[in-house]
Amino acid sequence: MKSAKATPTPPDKALVLQRSRDHLFPHRIERMASLGVDLVIGRREAYRFWDLDGREYMDFHLNGGTYSLGHRHPQLLEVLRETLEFADIGNHHFPNPARAELAERLAAATGLQYSVFTPSGAEAIDVAIKSARRYTGRRKIVALEQGYHGRSGLSGAAGDDAAAAWFGSDYPAEFIKVAFNDVEAMDLALAGGDVAAVLMETIPATSGFPIPAPGYLPAVKALCERHGTVYVADEVQTGMGRTGKLWGVDCWSLKPDILVTGKCLSGGLYPVSAAVMSREVGAWLAEDGWGYVSSFGGAEPGCAVGCKALELCADPATLAKVESIAAYLGRGLRDIQTRNAFLVEIRQQGLVMGLKFDAPDGGAQMTAALYQHGIWAMFAGFDPSVLQFKPGLLVDTQYCDEALQRFEDALSAITRRSAGS
Ligand SMILES: Cc1ncc(COP(=O)(O)O)c(C=O)c1O
């Protein structure tokens, strides 16, 4: 007789928080507590998750789009389970079928040639920077003041100066920062002909998704071409269908020299990210097979899941759904805006959304209020007046209606509170 599977005892939430305070990240626990947030995620399914204490949340953070296809998407789980029946991560010296297939699929999806797989987005950015340096023989990198590219050495140096300097890993002479949407500043930065790469987040996430001015991104690409500089599109957040196109750069008909993707490529199930590059920029791959090696980059289960995630995101039916759901949510939010002036700006490119509020910490206030009303959404780290609002690609109108109601209730709670104070 088959024995029934024992139900695991739910872990004790207070104990998890205490261990995390003691051994993981005390400051993070404190900062979240200051917002009234003490979340420890237990069960999760599609676009909802449940705290260990049983409270249910709608996920409008999605780990930056990692869960764009939902938590534990059944088809992705099936691929992972099937792969684990016969494979492990594989041996990093050799190709494996899933890695080769994903590289071919990414080449077809980008019009580029080679993929280098890494576990994290930050490492894929490192590879992009190194490839551009190798190709051009130059060292300088130009990035946006408003950009975030991860927290490894080179990717960190390409982001917020203070955060890199905190660990003594800033390189101000080599990593030049310019303002977003400023073509003149970019022109000036590239004019010396000594810049290896321009690193562009297509829509800067951590700054609250300010939308590129019409013509800005193509102008930057044209400057790169004029000055022999490699254009790197960081599509870790804006790729995989979130804008309604497979890649954010497709909205501006822009073909980068290197495209970096991650997060959703993993299906949220097995880490995989990629730097996808042109034949020219990736020429080093034909010269030195060991120029980049990673024990876990391109692991077989991650690549197998990646193939399916890419297939689902690139499906024209998915992209059409993104367009219609984005329009639906946009209408709903604009409607709420007519009743509540605290919401001052709705930034939107498909499901890439930033909501600006009428207070320097308005986005952070909304994070806290939404948490009380059963939505998890994070304010923008570089601009806490903005809330990053990240709906899943496959949500339906019923889910949106419920979320819009919770959103309006949270917003009203804030304005009632400030009217009373
Ligand atoms: C735009 C962007 N690039 C790169 C990264 C780094 O990815 P990872 O956290 O996988 O290292 C992130 C992570 O949030 C990101 O938002």
Side-chain angles (χ1 to χ4, degrees):
M1 205 176 78
K2 251 186 166 175
S3 65
K5 244 190 189 170
T7 315
T9 321
D12 179 76
K13 179 170 168 173
L15 179 64
V16 177
L17 286 170
Q18 189 55 51
R19 283 176 173 160
S20 308
R21 208 174 280 119
D22 290 346
H23 302 293
L24 267 176
F25 30 51
H27 176 255
R28 200 181 292 190
I29 299 285
E30 263 169 46
R31 173 77 178 110
M32 287 293 186
S34 74
L35 294 168
V37 176
D38 65 348
L39 182 64
V40 182
I41 298 174
R43 185 161 79 86
R44 53 212 95 171
E45 196 181 308
Y47 295 108
R48 293 177 200 261
F49 55 73
W50 287 259
D51 191 319
L52 284 185
D53 66 15
R55 286 200 61 192
E56 170 259 345
Y57 294 88
M58 303 176 96
D59 193 354
F60 275 74
H61 172 239
L62 304 174
N63 269 28
T66 304
Y67 303 109
S68 280
L69 292 168
H71 289 271
R72 300 170 55 76
H73 187 289
Q75 282 175 272
L76 299 177
L77 266 180
E78 191 185 328
V79 167
L80 182 61
R81 286 190 174 119
E82 274 173 9
T83 307
L84 290 175
E85 282 303 311
F86 66 88
D88 46 26
I89 62 166
N91 182 311
H92 60 260
H93 288 303
F94 302 102
N96 65 58
R99 192 189 286 192
E101 185 182 340
L102 183 56
E104 187 183 69
R105 279 177 184 261
L106 282 169
T110 57
L112 299 168
Q113 184 70 24
Y114 298 118
S115 281
V116 175
F117 293 115
T118 60
S120 70
E123 289 162 281
I125 293 287
D126 286 359
V127 170
I129 290 172
K130 291 198 286 189
S131 301
R133 285 178 162 176
R134 169 84 204 158
Y135 172 63
T136 59
R138 306 169 181 175
R139 293 190 70 84
K140 275 191 190 164
I141 304 296
V142 172
L144 295 174
E145 282 162 4
Q146 291 85 349
Y148 176 88
H149 304 282
R151 291 288 203 218
S152 63
L154 294 176
S155 72
D160 175 34
D161 289 328
W166 177 265
F167 286 115
S169 55
D170 54 325
Y171 303 95
E174 292 183 358
F175 286 82
I176 315 300
K177 308 293 161 59
V178 297
F180 180 59
N181 270 339
D182 188 340
V183 180
E184 238 174 79
M186 186 63 79
D187 196 6
L188 209 63
L190 300 192
D194 59 350
V195 175
V198 167
L199 188 51
M200 294 289 292
E201 247 190 289
T202 305
I203 309 174
T206 313
S207 292
F209 296 119
I211 304 299
Y216 173 64
L217 295 176
V220 173
K221 178 68 166 63
L223 285 172
C224 285
E225 281 167 17
R226 187 177 324 146
H227 295 293
T229 297
V230 171
Y231 185 108
V232 181
D234 181 341
E235 290 274 339
V236 169
Q237 291 234 14
T238 48
M240 299 292 281
R242 292 206 59 78
T243 60
K245 308 271 186 211
L246 182 58
W247 310 115
V249 284
D250 295 342
C251 298
W252 290 271
S253 306
L254 191 153
K255 187 176 166 193
D257 303 299
I258 305 181
L259 184 147
V260 175
T261 180
K263 290 197 188 275
C264 175
L265 189 67
S266 74
L269 292 173
Y270 203 102
V272 62
S273 300
V276 192
M277 53 192 86
S278 68
R279 187 189 292 278
E280 296 75 31
V281 177
W284 63 267
L285 286 153
E287 292 167 24
D288 181 355
W290 283 263
Y292 175 80
V293 181
S294 163
S295 301
F296 303 115
E300 208 158 342
C303 289
V305 172
C307 287
K308 185 48 106 181
L310 187 60
E311 182 192 314
L312 292 173
C313 290
D315 185 337
T318 305
L319 296 173
K321 191 169 167 52
V322 170
E323 296 268 7
S324 72
I325 280 294
Y328 190 82
L329 272 170
R331 272 196 302 277
L333 287 166
R334 283 190 297 277
D335 185 39
I336 291 172
Q337 197 180 21
T338 61
R339 292 187 289 279
N340 199 317
F342 190 55
L343 173 56
V344 289
E345 188 187 341
I346 299 168
R347 302 169 177 169
Q348 182 173 17
Q349 186 79 36
L351 291 175
V352 173
M353 298 169 86
L355 309 178
K356 190 171 170 65
F357 297 90
D358 193 16
D361 68 339
Q365 287 187 44
M366 274 304 282
T367 289
L370 286 169
Y371 183 68
Q372 297 302 325
H373 288 81
I375 290 184
W376 177 238
M378 273 290 269
F379 60 92
F382 295 163
D383 182 358
S385 71
V386 181
L387 180 79
Q388 299 177 327
F389 200 61
K390 304 178 191 178
L393 304 190
L394 306 174
V395 298
D396 57 20
T397 51
Q398 213 183 340
Y399 179 93
C400 293
D401 289 342
E402 194 182 340
L404 287 167
Q405 186 60 58
R406 292 186 191 193
F407 182 90
E408 184 158 15
D409 290 347
L411 194 55
S412 306
I414 291 181
T415 41
R416 262 199 318 273
R417 205 173 52 222
S418 37
S421 63

